[in-house]
Amino acid sequence: MSSRLLTCQVDEASLANIVHPSGEVDLSTVSILRQALTTALSLGRHVIVDLSDVTYIDSTGFRELLAHRRIYRENDRLMVLANPQHQVQDVIDTLNFYQVIPVFPSIDTAQNSLKGAPRPAR
């Protein structure tokens, strides 16, 4: 059995729900991320995905983030990324992913970016 495990926790913060994935996001674990992003959407707020504990993410993980970005926008919500580790940030930079989904160096700066955003209707 592979040691590639992913866990995801969803927490509520003052301006957004925070999804905390921890581990590797790939084809075998992306469904765990999908469930967490769906749960966060159901709570009716903007979302910050805290990437600080993500050690690896492949194209399936990035596709899932893109798919949920679209779903969030259709529901008048924003999704931003925060605090990626160096190896994840390198992939984000290579893909210019920050041009599609904003990426912030910390949870605090991500929350500050959402201060001026309209609050979603419940």
Side-chain angles (χ1 to χ4, degrees), residues 40-118:
L41 175 65
S42 72
L43 296 173
R45 301 170 76 204
H46 300 305
V47 168
I48 299 168
V49 181
D50 177 9
L51 298 174
S52 62
D53 293 325
V54 173
T55 56
Y56 173 83
I57 184 168
D58 71 3
S59 62
T60 57
F62 283 110
R63 276 195 304 269
E64 193 63 40
L65 292 172
L66 287 173
H68 269 81
R69 174 191 169 268
R70 181 185 51 78
I71 293 167
Y72 274 82
R73 290 185 87 167
E74 290 170 355
N75 287 276
D76 297 321
R77 289 168 183 74
L78 299 175
M79 180 175 73
V80 300
L81 309 178
N83 208 12
Q85 288 192 21
H86 180 70
Q87 62 271 28
V88 173
Q89 182 67 56
D90 286 346
V91 178
I92 288 169
D93 291 342
T94 299
L95 297 173
N96 292 324
F97 202 72
Y98 54 84
Q99 292 181 346
V100 181
I101 300 176
V103 181
F104 296 93
S106 70
I107 295 292
D108 288 339
T109 56
Q111 286 180 330
N112 285 336
S113 78
L114 296 173
K115 282 185 179 175

Side-chain angles (χ1 to χ4, degrees), residues 1-9 20-33 51-58 85:
M1 189 84 187
S2 172
S3 64
R4 294 193 274 170
L5 178 68
L6 180 72
T7 60
C8 284
Q9 181 177 329
H20 298 277
S22 179
E24 297 184 0
V25 182
D26 60 19
L27 182 61
S28 67
T29 62
V30 74
S31 63
I32 298 166
L33 177 61
L51 298 174
S52 62
D53 293 325
V54 173
T55 56
Y56 173 83
I57 184 168
D58 71 3
Q85 288 192 21

